[in-house]
Structure formats: C-alpha cells, structure tokens
Amino acid sequence: PSTRYTEVTDDLYYKGGYLATLKIPAIDLTVKVYEGTDSKTLAKGAGHFEDTSIWRGNIALAAHNRGVNNHFGQLHTLEIGDKVTLTTKLGTRTYEVVSVSKVLETDRSGLAATTENMITLYTCVMNQRDYRWCVKAVAQ
C-alpha cells in the first residue's frame, strides 16, 4: 500500500461500529463516521467514501442535509478558516476550511487521492438534485 493512503481495516473500527468522530465547532456539529455512503449508513451518521483514505491524504465524507439526521444541514454556511477535527484510532487531526463550493452531483474530483492531508465533505443541495455542496479543508 502506498504511504499516502490509509485503507480501512478491521482494527480501525471502534466498538460501536464507527470509524471516526467528526467535529465542526462553527456549526456545533459532532457526528460519528461510518464506512460507506448508502442511505442505511447515512441514517446513522456521516459516511466515509469507501475508496478514499481514512487518515493520510484525502478523506471524503458525506452526510444528509435534512430530515432526522441532517448532520451536514449547515455545511454550506462554513467559512474559510473554520476548523474541522477528525478523530480516528490513528489519531486526531485538525483541518482548516479552504473552500465551500456547489458542484455537480456527477463531479467526483473531490474523491481523488492527494498527497496533502485534507478532508472533503459532501452533502446534497436542498431542492437541487443535480448538485452537492463540497467543503474542502486542509490539515494544519
């Protein structure tokens, strides 16, 4: 395995079946992160895109923006410089928001592996099925 990618392995799961805890103080969010981005997973918390890293490089997560588990409902209100913290069994890393953008639902570029440690957060755009909010944050 390449050094810039950390695969999800069984030993990285916490007892509750989750992989990480995501905290975004600016929107008063603390949510557990589970493997996968299907609707069943997102009903529990945030989901981790299976083909992205969980520690080194680019970590991509998604969550709902409405309904009971609207963890990312305020994601689009984040501002450049806001802090995002991810805690995994490998440690805790703090990221700083560098962009908040609206992208096409088909745009998968935010899932690409990077050598830079960063986190990419996705959620739907209210009433715009073809679009997603995409927040990128880079490690401090």
Side-chain angles (χ1 to χ4, degrees):
S2 91
T3 53
R4 52 171 218 260
Y5 176 80
T6 307
E7 269 187 278
V8 171
T9 50
D10 291 346
D11 57 343
L12 292 181
Y13 286 92
Y14 288 94
K15 204 181 219 145
Y18 61 99
L19 281 170
T21 301
L22 177 74
K23 289 187 179 170
I24 309 178
I27 54 174
D28 200 24
L29 176 71
T30 299
V31 62
K32 288 184 169 53
V33 177
Y34 297 88
E35 182 68 354
T37 54
D38 58 26
S39 54
K40 198 172 132 196
T41 304
L42 296 186
K44 294 189 286 192
H48 171 252
F49 283 93
E50 294 175 6
D51 48 358
T52 70
S53 177
I54 192 62
W55 183 245
R56 285 194 199 93
N58 182 28
I59 300 164
L61 308 176
H64 286 313
N65 73 336
R66 59 180 163 205
V68 179
N69 290 307
N70 63 337
H71 302 294
F72 283 5
Q74 297 302 308
L75 198 67
H76 62 286
T77 67
L78 288 175
E79 294 177 7
I80 307 302
D82 283 344
K83 303 283 189 279
V84 175
T85 305
L86 189 73
T87 300
T88 70
K89 283 198 169 177
L90 298 167
T92 295
R93 195 174 274 148
T94 299
Y95 304 85
E96 193 170 286
V97 173
V98 293
S99 70
V100 178
S101 55
K102 194 191 276 193
V103 298
L104 278 167
E105 189 266 329
T106 51
D107 180 353
R108 311 296 279 177
S109 62
L111 303 181
T114 58
T115 48
E116 183 176 33
N117 289 323
M118 60 185 293
I119 192 164
T120 306
L121 309 173
Y122 281 104
T123 195
C124 296
V125 176
M126 195 84 72
N127 304 321
Q128 293 185 31
R129 292 190 52 193
D130 296 338
Y131 291 92
R132 297 287 180 267
W133 287 111
C134 175
V135 172
K136 290 182 182 287
V138 177
Q140 302 271 256

